[in-house]
Short mmCIF file of all heavy atoms in Angstrom, two decimals:
data_model
loop_
_atom_site.label_atom_id
_atom_site.label_comp_id
_atom_site.label_asym_id
_atom_site.label_seq_id
_atom_site.Cartn_x
_atom_site.Cartn_y
_atom_site.Cartn_z
N GLU A 1 14.56 -20.22 0.01
CA GLU A 1 14.73 -19.03 0.83
C GLU A 1 14.69 -17.78 -0.12
O GLU A 1 14.05 -16.74 0.13
CB GLU A 1 15.94 -18.98 1.65
CG GLU A 1 15.93 -20.04 2.75
CD GLU A 1 17.18 -20.01 3.61
OE1 GLU A 1 18.11 -19.10 3.31
OE2 GLU A 1 17.29 -20.77 4.46
N THR A 2 15.24 -17.87 -1.26
CA THR A 2 15.30 -16.73 -2.17
C THR A 2 13.92 -16.51 -2.75
O THR A 2 13.53 -15.30 -2.91
CB THR A 2 16.31 -16.98 -3.35
OG1 THR A 2 17.59 -17.19 -2.74
CG2 THR A 2 16.48 -15.76 -4.19
N MET A 3 13.16 -17.55 -3.10
CA MET A 3 11.86 -17.41 -3.59
C MET A 3 10.90 -16.79 -2.64
O MET A 3 10.14 -15.83 -2.89
CB MET A 3 11.32 -18.73 -4.02
CG MET A 3 11.79 -19.24 -5.43
SD MET A 3 11.34 -18.14 -6.75
CE MET A 3 9.71 -18.32 -6.82
N ILE A 4 11.05 -17.26 -1.35
CA ILE A 4 10.24 -16.60 -0.27
C ILE A 4 10.61 -15.09 -0.13
O ILE A 4 9.65 -14.18 0.02
CB ILE A 4 10.48 -17.36 1.05
CG1 ILE A 4 9.92 -18.81 0.91
CG2 ILE A 4 9.80 -16.67 2.32
CD1 ILE A 4 10.21 -19.60 2.10
N SER A 5 11.94 -14.78 -0.19
CA SER A 5 12.34 -13.41 -0.06
C SER A 5 11.83 -12.47 -1.22
O SER A 5 11.38 -11.43 -1.05
CB SER A 5 13.78 -13.31 -0.08
OG SER A 5 14.32 -13.92 1.13
N MET A 6 11.76 -13.14 -2.39
CA MET A 6 11.22 -12.36 -3.59
C MET A 6 9.68 -12.04 -3.40
O MET A 6 9.24 -11.10 -3.75
CB MET A 6 11.44 -13.20 -4.85
CG MET A 6 12.92 -13.27 -5.25
SD MET A 6 13.08 -14.17 -6.83
CE MET A 6 12.42 -12.99 -7.96
N ILE A 7 9.00 -13.11 -2.81
CA ILE A 7 7.52 -12.92 -2.50
C ILE A 7 7.34 -11.85 -1.57
O ILE A 7 6.39 -10.86 -1.66
CB ILE A 7 6.92 -14.22 -2.11
CG1 ILE A 7 6.92 -15.20 -3.41
CG2 ILE A 7 5.44 -14.02 -1.76
CD1 ILE A 7 6.49 -16.63 -2.88
N THR A 8 8.13 -11.81 -0.51
CA THR A 8 7.98 -10.82 0.61
C THR A 8 8.33 -9.44 0.03
O THR A 8 7.68 -8.43 0.26
CB THR A 8 9.05 -11.19 1.67
OG1 THR A 8 8.71 -12.44 2.23
CG2 THR A 8 8.94 -10.20 2.74
N ALA A 9 9.41 -9.38 -0.85
CA ALA A 9 9.77 -8.05 -1.41
C ALA A 9 8.66 -7.61 -2.32
O ALA A 9 8.33 -6.31 -2.42
CB ALA A 9 11.02 -8.16 -2.26
N ALA A 10 7.98 -8.45 -3.05
CA ALA A 10 6.96 -7.98 -4.00
C ALA A 10 5.78 -7.49 -3.10
O ALA A 10 5.10 -6.46 -3.49
CB ALA A 10 6.40 -9.24 -4.78
N ARG A 11 5.37 -8.11 -1.95
CA ARG A 11 4.30 -7.58 -1.14
C ARG A 11 4.65 -6.21 -0.58
O ARG A 11 3.84 -5.38 -0.43
CB ARG A 11 4.02 -8.61 -0.07
CG ARG A 11 3.36 -9.93 -0.65
CD ARG A 11 3.14 -11.00 0.42
NE ARG A 11 2.46 -12.17 -0.14
CZ ARG A 11 2.16 -13.16 0.52
NH1 ARG A 11 2.60 -13.28 1.82
NH2 ARG A 11 1.47 -14.25 0.03
N GLN A 12 5.93 -6.10 -0.22
CA GLN A 12 6.37 -4.80 0.36
C GLN A 12 6.28 -3.71 -0.66
O GLN A 12 5.88 -2.57 -0.36
CB GLN A 12 7.87 -4.93 0.83
CG GLN A 12 7.98 -5.73 2.07
CD GLN A 12 9.50 -5.89 2.50
OE1 GLN A 12 10.35 -5.61 1.76
NE2 GLN A 12 9.75 -6.43 3.76
N PHE A 13 6.66 -4.14 -1.88
CA PHE A 13 6.45 -3.04 -2.97
C PHE A 13 5.05 -2.65 -3.19
O PHE A 13 4.75 -1.48 -3.36
CB PHE A 13 7.02 -3.58 -4.30
CG PHE A 13 7.06 -2.62 -5.50
CD1 PHE A 13 7.91 -1.61 -5.53
CD2 PHE A 13 6.01 -2.70 -6.41
CE1 PHE A 13 7.98 -0.79 -6.64
CE2 PHE A 13 5.99 -1.88 -7.43
CZ PHE A 13 6.89 -0.81 -7.57
N GLU A 14 4.16 -3.57 -3.19
CA GLU A 14 2.66 -3.36 -3.25
C GLU A 14 2.25 -2.46 -2.12
O GLU A 14 1.37 -1.53 -2.28
CB GLU A 14 1.92 -4.66 -3.31
CG GLU A 14 2.18 -5.43 -4.49
CD GLU A 14 1.47 -6.86 -4.43
OE1 GLU A 14 0.73 -7.05 -3.47
OE2 GLU A 14 1.46 -7.60 -5.45
N ALA A 15 2.66 -2.72 -0.92
CA ALA A 15 2.38 -1.85 0.25
C ALA A 15 2.80 -0.46 0.06
O ALA A 15 2.01 0.48 0.34
CB ALA A 15 2.91 -2.49 1.47
N GLN A 16 4.06 -0.29 -0.47
CA GLN A 16 4.56 1.10 -0.67
C GLN A 16 3.71 1.78 -1.71
O GLN A 16 3.41 2.93 -1.60
CB GLN A 16 5.99 1.00 -1.14
CG GLN A 16 7.00 0.41 -0.07
CD GLN A 16 7.12 1.20 1.18
OE1 GLN A 16 6.66 2.44 1.16
NE2 GLN A 16 7.59 0.58 2.24
N MET A 17 3.35 1.08 -2.77
CA MET A 17 2.52 1.73 -3.80
C MET A 17 1.12 2.13 -3.38
O MET A 17 0.52 3.19 -3.76
CB MET A 17 2.31 0.79 -5.03
CG MET A 17 3.72 0.47 -5.71
SD MET A 17 4.65 1.95 -6.24
CE MET A 17 3.58 2.68 -7.39
N LYS A 18 0.55 1.33 -2.35
CA LYS A 18 -0.77 1.71 -1.78
C LYS A 18 -0.69 2.96 -1.03
O LYS A 18 -1.53 3.74 -0.96
CB LYS A 18 -1.24 0.60 -0.99
CG LYS A 18 -1.78 -0.63 -1.83
CD LYS A 18 -2.20 -1.86 -0.81
CE LYS A 18 -2.80 -3.03 -1.75
NZ LYS A 18 -3.21 -4.06 -0.83
N ILE A 19 0.56 3.16 -0.30
CA ILE A 19 0.75 4.40 0.42
C ILE A 19 0.71 5.56 -0.53
O ILE A 19 0.14 6.58 -0.26
CB ILE A 19 2.02 4.19 1.31
CG1 ILE A 19 1.86 3.16 2.29
CG2 ILE A 19 2.26 5.60 1.92
CD1 ILE A 19 3.14 2.93 3.15
N LEU A 20 1.36 5.38 -1.67
CA LEU A 20 1.31 6.42 -2.64
C LEU A 20 -0.01 6.81 -3.07
O LEU A 20 -0.37 8.02 -3.27
CB LEU A 20 2.31 6.12 -3.83
CG LEU A 20 3.76 6.27 -3.62
CD1 LEU A 20 4.59 5.78 -4.81
CD2 LEU A 20 4.15 7.72 -3.35
N GLN A 21 -0.78 5.76 -3.37
CA GLN A 21 -2.18 6.05 -3.76
C GLN A 21 -2.93 6.65 -2.67
O GLN A 21 -3.82 7.54 -2.98
CB GLN A 21 -2.84 4.61 -4.15
CG GLN A 21 -2.15 4.00 -5.40
CD GLN A 21 -2.69 2.67 -5.68
OE1 GLN A 21 -3.48 2.12 -4.89
NE2 GLN A 21 -2.24 2.05 -6.71
N THR A 22 -2.75 6.29 -1.48
CA THR A 22 -3.42 7.00 -0.26
C THR A 22 -3.00 8.38 -0.21
O THR A 22 -3.90 9.24 0.06
CB THR A 22 -3.07 6.13 0.95
OG1 THR A 22 -3.58 4.84 0.96
CG2 THR A 22 -3.78 6.87 2.17
N ALA A 23 -1.76 8.72 -0.43
CA ALA A 23 -1.27 10.02 -0.43
C ALA A 23 -1.96 10.90 -1.50
O ALA A 23 -2.32 12.08 -1.31
CB ALA A 23 0.20 10.17 -0.60
N GLU A 24 -2.15 10.26 -2.67
CA GLU A 24 -2.79 10.99 -3.79
C GLU A 24 -4.31 11.27 -3.49
O GLU A 24 -4.67 12.42 -3.73
CB GLU A 24 -2.63 10.17 -5.11
CG GLU A 24 -3.25 10.70 -6.28
CD GLU A 24 -3.19 9.93 -7.51
OE1 GLU A 24 -2.71 8.65 -7.35
OE2 GLU A 24 -3.38 10.42 -8.59
N SER A 25 -4.92 10.29 -2.95
CA SER A 25 -6.40 10.50 -2.63
C SER A 25 -6.53 11.52 -1.47
O SER A 25 -7.48 12.25 -1.55
CB SER A 25 -7.02 9.16 -2.27
OG SER A 25 -6.35 8.64 -1.14
N ASP A 26 -5.60 11.56 -0.50
CA ASP A 26 -5.72 12.50 0.51
C ASP A 26 -5.47 13.88 0.04
O ASP A 26 -6.17 14.84 0.44
CB ASP A 26 -4.75 12.12 1.64
CG ASP A 26 -5.13 10.94 2.44
OD1 ASP A 26 -6.25 10.41 2.24
OD2 ASP A 26 -4.26 10.36 3.16
N GLU A 27 -4.49 13.91 -0.93
CA GLU A 27 -4.32 15.29 -1.44
C GLU A 27 -5.45 15.85 -2.28
O GLU A 27 -5.85 17.02 -2.21
CB GLU A 27 -3.05 15.20 -2.38
CG GLU A 27 -2.58 16.57 -2.96
CD GLU A 27 -1.38 16.44 -3.75
OE1 GLU A 27 -0.76 15.36 -3.91
OE2 GLU A 27 -0.84 17.50 -4.23
N LYS A 28 -6.18 14.94 -3.05
CA LYS A 28 -7.33 15.40 -3.80
C LYS A 28 -8.41 15.80 -2.87
O LYS A 28 -9.18 16.81 -3.10
CB LYS A 28 -7.76 14.26 -4.70
CG LYS A 28 -6.87 13.90 -5.89
CD LYS A 28 -7.43 12.79 -6.71
CE LYS A 28 -6.49 12.47 -7.90
NZ LYS A 28 -7.06 11.38 -8.75
N ALA A 29 -8.62 15.03 -1.70
CA ALA A 29 -9.67 15.42 -0.79
C ALA A 29 -9.35 16.77 -0.12
O ALA A 29 -10.22 17.63 0.09
CB ALA A 29 -9.85 14.38 0.26
N ALA A 30 -8.09 17.00 0.14
CA ALA A 30 -7.67 18.23 0.77
C ALA A 30 -7.86 19.43 -0.15
O ALA A 30 -8.34 20.50 0.20
CB ALA A 30 -6.30 18.24 1.25
N ALA A 31 -7.50 19.12 -1.44
CA ALA A 31 -7.76 20.14 -2.49
C ALA A 31 -9.30 20.54 -2.66
O ALA A 31 -9.68 21.79 -2.80
CB ALA A 31 -7.21 19.77 -3.86
N GLN A 32 -10.11 19.57 -2.61
CA GLN A 32 -11.59 19.75 -2.66
C GLN A 32 -12.09 20.74 -1.53
O GLN A 32 -12.93 21.51 -1.66
CB GLN A 32 -12.38 18.44 -2.75
CG GLN A 32 -12.14 17.77 -3.97
CD GLN A 32 -12.88 16.42 -4.12
OE1 GLN A 32 -13.42 15.91 -3.10
NE2 GLN A 32 -12.82 15.77 -5.24
N LEU A 33 -11.63 20.30 -0.33
CA LEU A 33 -12.01 21.11 0.96
C LEU A 33 -11.58 22.50 0.81
O LEU A 33 -12.37 23.54 1.19
CB LEU A 33 -11.45 20.43 2.14
CG LEU A 33 -12.01 19.08 2.53
CD1 LEU A 33 -11.35 18.41 3.74
CD2 LEU A 33 -13.49 19.18 2.84
N LEU A 34 -10.39 22.72 0.35
CA LEU A 34 -9.87 24.10 0.20
C LEU A 34 -10.65 24.86 -0.89
O LEU A 34 -10.77 26.09 -0.74
CB LEU A 34 -8.34 24.06 -0.10
CG LEU A 34 -7.47 23.53 1.03
CD1 LEU A 34 -6.03 23.43 0.60
CD2 LEU A 34 -7.56 24.50 2.30
#
């Protein structure tokens, strides 16, 4: 159960980092438009 929880936590961390990357790309796109 602990190993499964660790895998789940790792995937959650990756999802959070992808959101940060999305925020960065959106900010760059908005800066170009402005």
Side-chain angles (χ1 to χ4, degrees):
E1 292 181 2
T2 305
M3 284 295 298
I4 293 174
S5 298
M6 291 183 69
I7 294 172
T8 302
R11 290 177 177 175
Q12 289 176 345
F13 182 80
E14 292 175 358
Q16 299 292 346
M17 297 306 296
K18 287 181 179 179
I19 294 176
L20 281 175
Q21 294 172 0
T22 301
E24 182 182 10
S25 61
D26 289 348
E27 185 177 359
K28 290 181 178 179
Q32 289 177 356
L33 289 175
L34 290 175

